[in-house]
């Protein structure tokens, strides 16, 4: 099985200014990687822009108008000290969100064609069934800090939540029967925006839950700026776990084996979505966790096993952070190789 890789030319044009860690060099490095074996033989697609109606399932219309209005004709506009708009940023954000919607469509429709085929002939091996049931969105700006009404932490639109809402909107009432989604956010920072949105969604639509699971450093951005991320507030559809200081591979794996995997197994999602940040790597400049590259392969393998068991193999992985470029490309390599197995 070869996962589909989504990119967008606009990801290169979202300019955050000189010296900013969330730069287009991240995407350039990943696109270079995609031109090497084995990735060069994988399906690669260009993202469409997300529909405005889909964006508005996550964000207030006033906020989206505000983003559009503040987008400069030239130069940069700082929404806060870290979060920047350049002339192409609004369109880049629409395409980063659209990549996730495209990936959701791809993954769900390909798994359905399997079940149709299944009635006609036996399959050769388990994985033949999940031919395009995996996708990775290598786009920017990232999304998990973006709240319903404002940008934060390099993020303009909450790409993964927009994709999750798209999945439920399109497929919950269809024969695809996508009714339960799990978002696993392994970026080292808490996805405050995603948690806010998932909680609001789950209150309004308890019959189609989106389970938010985050393992993150603490104290670390965005702690103190936003609520959420507190394990004391965990409930039936929220699991926040604080990583220990300078979190090691063994500590990280123990947390996933002890808490995350059993929780996912019990929830039995119809679709797994990953907020795939690689900034818990030991070489990342923005945090002090101490993961090895191999930990991302290990984690991906276990998450894919859960997807195979419960979700017809469906995994949509969405790039969030990861700011040391060699560590990012190595970690994405480890992630993708396991996504493909
Ligand atoms: Zn991060």
């Amino acid at each position: 099985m070869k996962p589909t890789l989504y990119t967008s030319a606009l990801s290169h044009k979202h300019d955050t200014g000189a010296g900013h860690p969330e730069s287009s060099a991240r995407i350039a490095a990943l696109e270079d990687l995609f031109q090497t074996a084995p990735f060069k033989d994988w399906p690669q697609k260009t993202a469409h822009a997300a529909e405005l109606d889909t964006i508005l399932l996550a964000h207030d219309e006033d906020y989206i108008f505000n983003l559009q209005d503040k987008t400069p004709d030239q130069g940069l506009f700082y929404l806060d000290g870290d979060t920047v708009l350049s002339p192409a940023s609004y369109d880049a954000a629409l395409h980063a969100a659209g990549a996730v919607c495209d990936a959701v469509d791809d993954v769900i429709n390909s798994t359905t064609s399997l079940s149709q085929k299944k009635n006609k002939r036996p399959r050769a091996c388990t994985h033949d069934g999940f031919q395009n049931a995996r996708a990775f969105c290598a786009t920017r700006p990232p999304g998990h800090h973006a709240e319903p009404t404002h940008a934060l932490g390099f993020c303009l639109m909450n790409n993964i939540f927009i994709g999750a809402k798209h999945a439920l909107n399109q497929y919950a009432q269809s024969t695809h029967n996508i009714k339960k989604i799990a978002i696993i956010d392994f970026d080292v920072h808490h996805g405050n925006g995603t948690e806010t949105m998932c909680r609001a969604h789950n209150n309004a639509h308890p019959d189609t839950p989106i389970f938010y699971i985050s393992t993150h450093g603490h104290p670390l951005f965005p702690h103190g700026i936003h609520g959420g991320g507190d394990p004391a507030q965990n409930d039936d559809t929220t699991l926040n776990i604080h990583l220990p200081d300078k979190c090691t591979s063994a500590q990280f794996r123990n947390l996933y084996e002890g808490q995350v995997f059993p929780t996912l197994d019990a929830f039995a999602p119809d679709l797994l979505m990953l907020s795939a940040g690689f900034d818990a790597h030991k070489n990342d400049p923005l945090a002090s966790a101490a993961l090895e590259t191999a930990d991302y392969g290990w984690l991906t393998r276990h998450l894919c096993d859960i997807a195979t068991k419960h979700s017809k193999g469906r995994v949509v992985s969405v790039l969030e952070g990861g700011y040391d470029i060699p560590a990012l490309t190595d970690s994405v390599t480890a992630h993708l190789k396991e996504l493909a197995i």
Side-chain angles (χ1 to χ4, degrees):
M1 177 189 38
K2 296 171 180 171
T4 305
L5 304 172
Y6 281 89
T7 57
S8 167
L10 283 157
S11 290
H12 295 268
K13 295 185 176 173
H14 167 52
D15 181 3
T16 48
H20 198 291
E22 203 294 286
S23 72
S24 61
R26 302 173 63 234
I27 292 296
L30 293 181
E31 290 189 6
D32 285 348
L33 176 70
F34 298 163
Q35 298 313 309
T36 65
F39 311 113
K40 63 184 172 57
D41 297 323
W42 293 13
Q44 302 196 18
K45 296 187 180 178
T46 302
H48 297 93
E51 300 285 341
L52 184 59
D53 286 346
T54 311
I55 303 278
L56 296 181
L57 298 172
H59 293 285
D60 288 7
E61 192 164 18
D62 285 351
Y63 166 61
I64 300 301
F65 271 124
N66 189 45
L67 271 187
Q68 187 183 301
D69 290 346
K70 296 261 171 63
T71 297
D73 293 330
Q74 55 184 8
L76 304 179
F77 181 89
Y78 283 79
L79 292 161
D80 60 38
D82 300 322
T83 314
V84 187
L85 288 172
S86 65
S89 297
Y90 179 79
D91 287 339
L94 289 176
H95 282 75
V100 188
C101 298
D102 285 351
V104 161
D105 289 338
D106 215 18
V107 160
I108 292 175
N109 289 318
S110 76
T111 46
T112 295
S113 62
L114 157 68
S115 49
Q116 287 161 353
K117 276 183 195 163
K118 227 167 140 182
N119 296 327
K120 293 178 185 164
R121 59 189 171 99
R123 62 185 187 221
C125 79
T126 309
H127 294 296
D128 280 2
F130 308 137
Q131 201 136 24
N132 288 310
R134 308 267 167 81
F136 180 66
C137 301
T139 48
R140 60 186 284 275
H144 71 155
H145 295 306
E147 292 274 347
T149 57
H150 59 271
L152 188 76
F154 318 159
C155 300
L156 302 179
M157 298 181 191
N158 199 303
N159 309 319
I160 197 159
F161 185 81
I162 291 165
K165 289 291 281 190
H166 173 72
L168 293 175
N169 226 28
Q170 294 296 312
Y171 304 111
Q173 302 304 325
S174 75
T175 54
H176 306 264
N177 207 28
I178 304 294
K179 289 202 162 58
K180 293 191 289 182
I181 296 176
I183 294 177
I184 301 98
D185 186 337
F186 58 83
D187 189 283
V188 77
H189 302 97
H190 174 241
N192 56 286
T194 314
E195 182 178 340
T196 299
M197 292 173 179
C198 286
R199 285 185 182 277
H201 168 87
N202 292 333
N203 283 334
H205 307 285
D207 51 331
T208 55
I210 307 175
F211 203 130
Y212 180 67
I213 298 176
S214 172
T215 51
H216 53 268
H218 180 85
L220 183 68
F221 180 89
H223 174 70
I225 300 174
H226 274 280
D230 182 357
Q233 306 294 319
N234 288 343
D235 58 22
D236 288 349
T237 48
T238 314
L239 177 61
N240 281 299
I241 299 172
H242 289 166
L243 301 176
D245 189 34
K246 299 183 174 58
C247 182
T248 65
S249 298
Q251 289 171 320
F252 184 82
R253 293 183 186 206
N254 282 340
L255 289 171
Y256 272 83
E257 283 177 334
Q259 298 183 58
V260 176
F261 301 150
T263 299
L264 279 170
D265 231 356
F267 182 63
D270 300 314
L271 169 66
L272 261 71
M273 300 184 73
L274 311 182
S275 259
F278 299 91
D279 43 9
H281 192 283
K282 64 181 181 183
N283 293 344
D284 197 276
L286 296 197
S288 58
L291 296 195
E292 305 286 341
T293 301
D295 293 321
Y296 292 107
W298 175 88
L299 174 60
T300 308
R301 182 161 66 252
H302 284 274
L303 292 173
C304 286
D305 285 347
I306 291 167
T308 300
K309 185 173 173 187
H310 296 292
S311 325
K312 294 187 179 175
R314 300 175 185 119
V315 181
V316 172
S317 178
V318 183
L319 180 66
E320 300 282 1
Y323 303 101
D324 179 80
I325 289 180
L328 174 67
T329 53
D330 288 351
S331 301
V332 167
T333 300
H335 178 57
L336 291 178
K337 285 185 172 174
E338 293 297 338
L339 211 57
I341 291 171

